[in-house]
Amino acid sequence: MSENQIRFEKEKVILIASGTVDESKRYFEQQNRQFKQNTRIIMDTITSLNKSKKRGLI
Amino acid sequence: MSNPLKIFISSVGQDSLSPLRNQLFDELKGMAHHPVMYERNIGPWPRAQSVQRCLEAVSESDIFILLISNKGGSYYQEYGATVTHLEFLRANNENKTVIPFIERSVSDLYWRMNSQFEEKIQQYIEVNGQHPDSYSEIAEEIWKGHSSYPSNSHIDSYVFGFIHDLVTKGNYFEPLNLGIAPLEKIKEYLSDLFRQARTLLAIEPIIHQHIQNASLHQKHTEFSFKLLDFIKEGQITNCRLFLAHIQALMDGGDILYKKGTVFEKNIGYFEPCCGITMYKIFPDSQELILLEATGIAGDDNRSYSLADNTSFVVQTYLDSLENKLFYQPEKQLLYFTIKASKYILCLHYPVSDDFTEEIMERFQKDVFDAILNSESQLYRGFVTKLLGGLD
C-alpha cells in the first residue's frame, strides 16, 4: 500500500474510498428508471394486443 | 425438437358431430399440431376414470375447441354438469384459449332467451342469497316454457344453460355449420394467437426483468415495514433486531474491474455482511457510544472520543462524505461505514483471500462500486434516511 493511504486503528485499517449519499442513490435511480421503462413497454404491448384483438360475437 | 401445440377437441359424442370432430382432428394433425380427442387418442377408459382422464387431457392442452349442437351430453350427478361442460370449466379455470363454435339455430334461440336468464338468475339470487351453482334448472324452466320449444324439442335445455355459462365467463362464439368443419375460422384464431405470442415473446426478457424488479420492490417494502416496527417516538426499540434485519439483506457480490465494458473482469468477491456495529453521539457528548453489535462484529470498542483521530468510526462521523470503505488486511474484512445524522453504522464484509493491500489500492474504485451498485444499497439507502430522522 502506498504511503499516502490514510490508516486507522494502529495502522491496521486502511481507507479505501469515500462517497456521498447522492452517489449511493445511483443504483436506486438506475433500477427505478429501468422499472418505469419496462412498465411502459409491457403496458404498450398489452394495449396494442388488446386493440388488435378481433373476435366477433354472433 | 419441436413441441407442437396441443389442441383439445371437445363436444358431445353425438353422431351429427362425429364427422366434424374427425375432420378437425385430421386437419389439425396435418398442420403439425397435436390434436387431442377422446375417441382418437385419450380413451377408452373405464367410465369411472374417463372423466378424470379427459379433464387431465384438457389441462395438458393449450387450446380448447368446443363444438356445441343440440345435445347436452352425459350428465354426471356428482359433478352437477355434463362431461363437455366439465371440460370447458377446466379449460376456463386454467386460462386455456377457448374457441367455441355453436350451431347457429341453437345460438339464435339462446339469444332470444338471454334476457330471461338474467331475470331468473336475479330472482334466484333474491330468494337464495347466492348465485346458482348450475344454470341447468333455470335453462329447463325457460326452454320448456318458450314458444319455440314444441317445434325444437330435440334441443336439450342443458345446452342453453351451458351457453349462458360460456357467455357469463366472457367467451365469444362462432357459428357452426354441421356440414363443414370450421377449419378456416380455427386457422384465423391460430394465426391471431401466433401474432400475439410473437409480440409477447419479443418482450420476454423485459417481462423477466420486470418480475425480478417487482420482487425487489416487494422485498424493499417488507424490509421497510419491518424496520419501522422497531421505531417508536423517534427511538429504536430493539437495536439488536433492528441490525439483524439489516444484516440479513446485506448480500455479498462479485467485484468487477471496468464493469459494463469490454474489459470487464472478475477480480474477486466480497461475502455477505457478517456483522454490524451501530454508534450514536448523544447531545452535549464528545463520544460516539456503541449501541449494539450483531453477527460476529465485536463489541470491544464501547465508545470513541471524537478527539480520537486513529478511529475510522470517528473519521466517518467527522467527515462530510457519508459513506466510507475501509479495509482490514489482517482479518480480510471490508468495513462499509455510513453516517446518518447522529448515528454511525459499520458493516463488516469478509473479502476473498486473493485481495491484498496492493490489489485493494489498485482496484479501490471497483471495490467501492461493487458494494454501492448492488441491491443491498437500496436497503442501506432506506436505513440511512430512517436513522437520519431519529432523535
Side-chain angles (χ1 to χ4, degrees):
Chain A
M1 218 68 170
S2 59
E3 285 178 4
N4 58 4
Q5 285 290 343
I6 305 169
R7 292 174 177 251
F8 299 90
E9 313 286 344
K10 296 176 185 167
E11 307 289 305
K12 287 179 181 172
V13 176
I14 306 152
L15 175 64
I16 300 294
S18 301
T20 63
V21 168
D22 285 342
E23 281 176 73
S24 70
K25 281 181 187 167
R26 204 166 45 199
Y27 182 81
F28 167 76
E29 283 164 357
Q30 186 191 339
Q31 291 292 318
N32 206 32
R33 198 166 44 243
Q34 189 188 59
F35 191 72
K36 284 178 181 169
Q37 194 180 3
N38 287 351
T39 303
R40 190 179 50 73
I41 293 169
I42 293 168
M43 290 303 289
D44 286 353
T45 306
I46 300 291
T47 307
S48 79
L49 279 179
N50 285 339
K51 271 185 191 169
S52 63
K53 273 185 186 168
K54 287 195 292 181
R55 303 181 89 185
L57 181 68
I58 60 169
Chain B
M1 183 161 172
S2 65
N3 187 8
L5 190 72
K6 282 190 180 170
I7 305 176
F8 191 96
I9 301 169
S10 173
S11 80
V12 172
Q14 61 184 99
D15 291 345
S16 60
L17 291 178
S18 275
L20 291 189
R21 288 166 64 86
N22 282 314
Q23 198 185 338
L24 270 184
F25 186 94
D26 294 335
E27 294 276 6
L28 291 171
K29 197 171 182 184
M31 290 161 66
H33 298 311
H34 179 85
V36 180
M37 202 165 84
Y38 180 75
E39 62 271 37
R40 295 285 287 266
N41 53 4
I42 302 180
W45 290 80
R47 183 180 158 86
Q49 292 175 31
S50 64
V51 175
Q52 205 48 44
R53 185 64 200 105
C54 280
L55 296 180
E56 284 167 12
V58 171
S59 294
E60 290 160 8
S61 302
D62 306 294
I63 310 276
F64 184 83
I65 293 176
L66 175 62
L67 309 175
I68 296 179
S69 180
N70 62 318
K71 294 294 178 194
S74 309
Y75 183 82
Y76 281 73
Q77 198 67 45
E78 64 266 44
Y79 298 118
T82 64
V83 183
T84 314
H85 197 168
L86 287 172
E87 289 168 353
F88 160 71
L89 291 172
R90 174 67 65 94
N92 184 71
N93 287 344
E94 295 183 0
N95 293 320
K96 308 288 179 191
T97 297
V98 177
I99 311 176
F101 292 88
I102 302 176
E103 193 181 343
R104 187 181 287 276
S105 59
V106 176
S107 61
D108 283 349
L109 280 169
Y110 165 75
W111 286 118
R112 282 161 63 188
M113 295 185 283
N114 173 266
S115 59
Q116 280 177 274
F117 269 95
E118 300 299 339
E119 283 168 24
K120 294 279 181 193
I121 289 165
Q122 197 50 45
Q123 285 168 13
Y124 183 96
I125 293 169
E126 280 166 17
V127 173
N128 297 284
Q130 61 181 21
H131 211 268
D133 291 337
S134 160
Y135 299 130
S136 59
E137 286 178 19
I138 289 173
E140 187 173 4
E141 187 186 341
I142 295 171
W143 178 226
K144 291 196 172 162
H146 197 267
S147 58
S148 301
Y149 176 68
S151 55
N152 292 284
S153 59
H154 63 288
I155 304 175
D156 291 348
S157 62
Y158 190 91
V159 169
F160 297 114
F162 187 2
I163 296 173
H164 190 73
D165 197 25
L166 274 169
V167 172
T168 305
K169 290 184 167 62
N171 291 277
Y172 297 95
F173 43 82
E174 300 287 348
L176 177 68
N177 182 340
L178 290 183
I180 314 162
L183 199 70
E184 289 310 310
K185 190 51 83 178
I186 289 171
K187 282 180 184 171
E188 277 179 34
Y189 272 88
L190 295 186
S191 174
D192 189 52
L193 275 174
F194 187 65
R195 181 189 57 78
Q196 290 181 51
R198 193 219 59 82
T199 309
L200 287 172
L201 282 172
I203 60 163
E204 191 184 13
I206 289 171
I207 293 172
H208 278 293
Q209 203 174 48
H210 209 56
I211 291 167
Q212 282 174 349
N213 272 333
S215 142
L216 189 66
H217 276 72
Q218 187 191 359
K219 206 164 143 189
H220 193 278
T221 306
E222 285 171 5
F223 173 73
S224 310
F225 277 105
K226 252 182 208 168
L227 284 201
L228 289 172
D229 277 345
F230 293 111
I231 307 297
K232 198 170 184 183
E233 295 173 358
Q235 303 289 331
I236 303 168
T237 55
N238 187 327
C239 290
R240 189 181 62 79
L241 286 178
F242 183 81
L243 292 185
H245 280 299
I246 297 170
Q247 191 189 327
L249 290 182
M250 296 298 117
D251 293 333
D254 289 331
I255 298 169
L256 303 172
Y257 170 66
K258 293 198 173 180
K259 189 182 174 188
T261 70
V262 288
F263 304 107
E264 183 177 298
K265 185 180 154 195
N266 192 324
I267 52 172
Y269 62 89
F270 60 101
E271 292 176 16
C273 177
C274 62
I276 304 177
T277 51
M278 180 163 65
Y279 292 86
K280 182 181 178 183
I281 189 152
F282 289 90
D284 305 322
S285 165
Q286 289 300 304
E287 282 189 325
L288 283 161
I289 308 293
L290 179 73
L291 291 182
E292 190 61 74
T294 60
I296 62 165
D299 59 358
D300 306 338
N301 299 316
R302 311 295 300 181
S303 65
Y304 286 108
S305 161
L306 291 186
D308 181 359
N309 58 11
T310 69
S311 160
F312 67 92
V313 176
V314 172
Q315 168 68 17
T316 305
Y317 180 76
L318 295 177
D319 201 281
S320 58
L321 299 171
E322 298 91 345
N323 293 322
K324 290 191 179 298
L325 185 66
F326 300 90
Y327 173 50
Q328 162 46 300
E330 268 179 33
K331 296 180 181 174
Q332 279 299 87
L333 278 177
L334 288 170
Y335 300 129
F336 185 82
T337 56
I338 301 165
K339 175 185 174 185
S341 184
K342 299 164 192 161
Y343 294 84
I344 300 290
L345 282 180
C346 178
L347 286 71
H348 301 210
Y349 290 97
V351 68
S352 53
D353 290 340
D354 38 3
F355 274 94
T356 60
E357 288 185 34
E358 288 69 29
I359 293 175
M360 199 60 84
E361 182 180 25
R362 187 174 158 206
F363 297 109
Q364 51 184 270
K365 183 182 175 302
D366 301 301
V367 178
F368 196 44
D369 280 353
I371 294 183
L372 280 183
N373 292 310
S374 67
E375 182 186 320
S376 301
Q377 187 56 31
L378 290 178
Y379 313 117
R380 281 192 294 263
F382 177 75
V383 171
T384 307
K385 292 274 181 198
L386 182 63
L387 289 176
L390 298 184
D391 284 341

